[in-house]
Structure formats: structure tokens, C-alpha cells
Amino acid sequence: MLIVSTVGLLSNFDTDLLAQTPSPEPDVGEQFAISLDPTDSIYNHTKVTHLGSKNISSSPYLVPEDRYIDEAIIKGVGNVTNNQTYIGTHLSGELIQGTGHGTITTQDGESIDWIVSGIGKPYDNGGWFFYDIMLFNSTQSESLAFLNNNIGLFKSLAGDEPDSLWLLG
């Protein structure tokens, strides 16, 4: 009788231990793997207008401030405008460190603000290739609420292809 009771107790003990064992976490590479195909992005600009530039500093580094407005499409939202300002610190002829901020506005007036920080490197055609991390603020906008406090990877190739944005979270 003692053996039967002990076996029953041990089988319940094993079950309880298995139920408490956490499932293995996915590999870090799997957690953050995203496709950088522009067709998989949520944002693609259709037209960019340079609104102006001013030189903030020339020593020790060249630091211009540039303003742009994009006409773009956000998947699930439609046509938007993206009013943006960037400050780029030219650390060398091969590297720009940039920060920026802006506001995306839908056709019916809903909007969300964002900030960005990134790195630019020269591209073969004489332009600049940028990868930026973008953080969206909160909005009361119903159509843009999915961006609230979200982080995105923003890729642009100045002058050649549409800017693209992929959400990371």
C-alpha cells in the first residue's frame, strides 16, 4: 500500500513540476527578425518636398538643419503628410549622425508626433543611405492609435527610393 501511495504522489509531483517549468524563450534573432522589403513596410512616401535648410554649425562639425514634407501612404490608414525636421552632424565625409522630429497627419486631420535618431552613410550614387530608429508619441487619433508609443525602423535612401518604415513592436 505504501508503494502505491508513493508512486501516486510522485506522479503528481512530476506533473506539478512540468506545469511550473517555463517554456523556452525564442532565440533573440527570431524575436527581432523583420523583412526589410519595402512591400512589407507600413509607410512609403510618394513625394518629398525639401522645405529648406540652414547651417547650425560649421565647427567642429558641419551641422545643418533640414526640413521636409512627405506625401505618403500608411497601410490601413491611407494618404498622409509627414512634416519633418532633421539635424545632421557630419562626423566625417563617410558618416552622419542625425536626429529629428515630426508630425504625421491624415487627410481628415488626425495626427501623431514622432522623434528619430539614426546614422547615414554615403551611397554609390552620391546620395546618403540612412537607418533610423523612430519612436511614436501617444495620440488620441483613432486611425493612428496603433502607432502609440511604438518603435519603428525607418530606412531612406536620399533621392532614390521611397522611405520605408517597419514597426518593431
Side-chain angles (χ1 to χ4, degrees):
M1 193 65 125
L2 179 62
I3 295 174
V4 171
S5 296
T6 306
V7 170
L9 180 62
L10 286 178
S11 66
N12 287 338
F13 181 73
D14 288 344
T15 303
D16 289 342
L17 280 180
L18 290 175
Q20 294 175 12
T21 304
S23 58
E25 291 292 320
D27 180 33
V28 171
E30 292 173 14
Q31 288 179 358
F32 297 105
I34 61 171
S35 165
L36 296 183
D37 182 341
T39 60
D40 293 332
S41 71
I42 65 149
Y43 174 102
N44 286 290
H45 80 252
T46 55
K47 180 182 176 187
V48 177
T49 303
H50 185 243
L51 300 175
S53 183
K54 68 179 178 181
N55 192 22
I56 294 175
S57 175
S58 57
S59 178
Y61 304 108
L62 174 62
V63 182
E65 176 185 86
D66 289 290
R67 295 183 15 204
Y68 300 89
I69 193 159
D70 281 0
E71 294 176 24
I73 298 170
I74 294 181
K75 286 183 182 173
V77 175
N79 293 330
V80 297
T81 57
N82 188 3
N83 192 349
Q84 18 190 345
T85 301
Y86 293 97
I87 296 175
T89 303
H90 292 250
L91 300 173
S92 71
E94 300 290 316
L95 185 64
I96 296 175
Q97 186 278 325
T99 59
H101 64 274
T103 303
I104 294 174
T105 306
T106 65
Q107 288 185 319
D108 60 356
E110 294 184 345
S111 65
I112 190 166
D113 294 331
W114 53 266
I115 58 173
V116 71
S117 182
I119 298 291
K121 301 215 32 114
Y123 187 70
D124 295 340
N125 70 352
W128 288 85
F129 186 70
F130 292 92
Y131 273 116
D132 301 314
I133 297 296
M134 181 176 278
L135 172 64
F136 292 94
N137 294 339
S138 291
T139 181
Q140 298 301 313
S141 163
E142 193 173 310
S143 64
L144 297 171
F146 72 99
L147 296 173
N148 277 349
N149 301 307
N150 216 328
I151 297 171
L153 176 65
F154 194 75
K155 180 185 92 165
S156 63
L157 182 56
D160 264 2
E161 66 181 52
D163 296 344
S164 299
L165 172 68
W166 299 268
L167 294 181
L168 300 179

